[in-house]
Amino acid sequence: VVFLSSGVQGIGVNYGLVGDNLPQPSAVVDLYKSNNIDGMRIFNPNHDVLEALRGSNIPLIVGVEHKDLQSLASDAYAANDWVQTNIAAYSPGVPFRYIVIGNEVIPGDLAQYVLPAMQNVQTALDSAGVQVNVSTSVALSVLGSSYPPSAGAFTPEAQTYMEPIIQFLATGGSPLLVNVYPYFAYRDNPAQIALSYALFTSEGVVVTDGAYGYKNLFDAMLDATHAAMEKVGGADVAVVVTESGWPSDGGFAANISNAQTYNQNLINHVGEGTPRRPAPIEAYIFAMFNENQKEAGTERNFGLFYPDEQPVYPISFV
């Protein structure tokens, strides 16, 4: 997770804005800095947030709104305009890390727009002289098979889109962005999955897969993704975990103890990498705040902080 030229290693946090009681962006930037959080992801190019980030040296992943995907895919002028308005206008004062073209839209109605939008936005970035790579962020529902990890493979409908996207990423040296949630896998199958395996607290190897031994579900899920990518020519494409987290309330096994255990162990673990790819992992926790306008239940309770900037539980990024 080397973000900065000084070789600082760290982990980022998703900054969602689906709440009516959240602090001002400038205060949020200060909160990132005071907690030594090394990266931020936002889901759309919010200009108030971009302005607050100027000069902060916080690397930023920024998403495209889904309503813009079709126009960015079909119109190079729209892509140029989007880049000029949302990226070039803030560069180099904001260190952009990646541009996310679609969050969890593959497979689905918008999937057809992802690759042409990526191509148009990358071309626009290059012509604007902004050195930043585009990618897309996928949920692990793109995998039809994930157990054991070496059997990882895309579903046929996801593969239609993923294979050419992975070729594009390989050509440009961009990573695939993946949202990895052991919480949901555990919640949906607690009879087969031990809580300790989901929380990084297993003492020994739980799943043996050929030469690889897995002590935690996060690594298994990530390596299933790696295996699926290798099957479509993506052996050299890196994976960045753009979301991972555990809710502190609102549902099964959602409590402060589990959330703190998961997120702290994730922070402590990413430097080790996975059995299949033992290099440090760039990862982003979901999310900075509990967001009160999300749907009721766990969705409102993934935050590390309450809107008053008090921590939901103690966590160390150092």
Side-chain angles (χ1 to χ4, degrees):
V1 199
V2 179
F3 285 117
L4 307 176
S5 54
S6 58
V8 176
Q9 287 205 350
I11 194 161
V13 179
N14 287 260
Y15 171 21
L17 290 155
V18 190
D20 59 12
N21 56 355
L22 298 173
Q24 289 299 313
S26 57
V28 176
V29 169
D30 289 342
L31 195 59
Y32 271 70
K33 286 180 171 176
S34 63
N35 284 278
N36 298 297
I37 300 170
D38 286 332
M40 179 188 289
R41 179 190 180 200
I42 56 176
F43 293 87
N44 60 62
N46 181 296
H47 287 191
D48 294 334
V49 175
L50 290 168
E51 203 57 60
L53 281 165
R54 276 191 203 271
S56 68
N57 286 330
I58 297 174
L60 180 71
I61 298 179
V62 60
V64 164
E65 291 193 72
H66 290 168
K67 66 177 176 58
D68 294 332
L69 285 174
Q70 187 172 355
S71 68
L72 293 174
S74 58
D75 184 354
Y77 292 103
N80 272 319
D81 187 50
W82 189 92
V83 165
Q84 288 298 332
T85 304
N86 300 308
I87 307 299
Y90 297 94
S91 178
V94 176
F96 291 100
R97 189 96 178 110
Y98 310 112
I99 312 296
V100 186
I101 311 291
N103 184 52
E104 300 187 352
V105 299
I106 298 170
D109 296 342
L110 295 173
Q112 61 182 314
Y113 304 122
V114 173
L115 181 57
M118 286 168 66
Q119 292 165 327
N120 282 345
V121 171
Q122 189 70 67
T123 300
L125 288 162
D126 294 345
S127 62
V130 181
Q131 287 190 305
V132 58
N133 284 352
V134 303
S135 188
T136 189
S137 195
V138 296
L140 287 200
S141 52
V142 295
L143 300 182
S145 168
S146 60
Y147 184 87
S150 60
F154 294 116
T155 64
E157 54 175 348
Q159 186 165 327
T160 303
Y161 303 104
M162 294 305 298
E163 192 160 356
I165 284 171
I166 284 168
Q167 302 295 338
F168 173 82
L169 296 174
T171 303
S174 298
L176 179 66
L177 312 178
V178 183
N179 299 338
V180 180
Y181 283 102
Y183 169 73
F184 293 118
Y186 170 70
R187 181 198 70 184
D188 295 344
N189 196 4
Q192 256 70 52
I193 297 172
L195 180 61
S196 58
Y197 186 56
L199 291 176
F200 298 95
T201 56
S202 298
E203 292 293 323
V205 169
V206 177
V207 170
T208 301
D209 180 16
Y212 303 123
Y214 291 87
K215 295 182 178 181
N216 66 78
L217 183 53
F218 176 87
D219 282 355
M221 294 170 80
L222 204 47
D223 273 356
T225 310
H226 291 139
M229 292 165 66
E230 287 162 17
K231 292 179 174 80
V232 295
D236 296 329
V237 175
V239 171
V240 170
V241 177
T242 33
E243 292 177 30
S244 192
W246 197 286
S248 61
D249 199 3
F252 176 76
N255 57 58
I256 281 176
S257 174
N258 286 346
Q260 179 183 27
T261 299
Y262 179 83
N263 283 325
Q264 189 65 63
N265 285 339
L266 176 67
I267 291 168
N268 298 344
H269 174 70
V270 289
E272 298 168 27
T274 68
R276 200 176 188 94
R277 293 195 186 179
I281 300 160
E282 183 178 337
Y284 294 77
I285 291 175
F286 188 88
M288 196 65 175
F289 298 105
N290 284 345
E291 296 167 68
N292 67 352
Q293 291 177 315
K294 299 195 93 162
E295 60 182 281
T298 54
E299 287 298 305
R300 289 187 188 175
N301 293 285
F302 271 90
L304 300 174
F305 293 88
Y306 295 110
D308 66 1
E309 301 182 45
Q310 294 305 301
V312 178
Y313 42 83
I315 196 130
S316 171
F317 285 88
V318 180

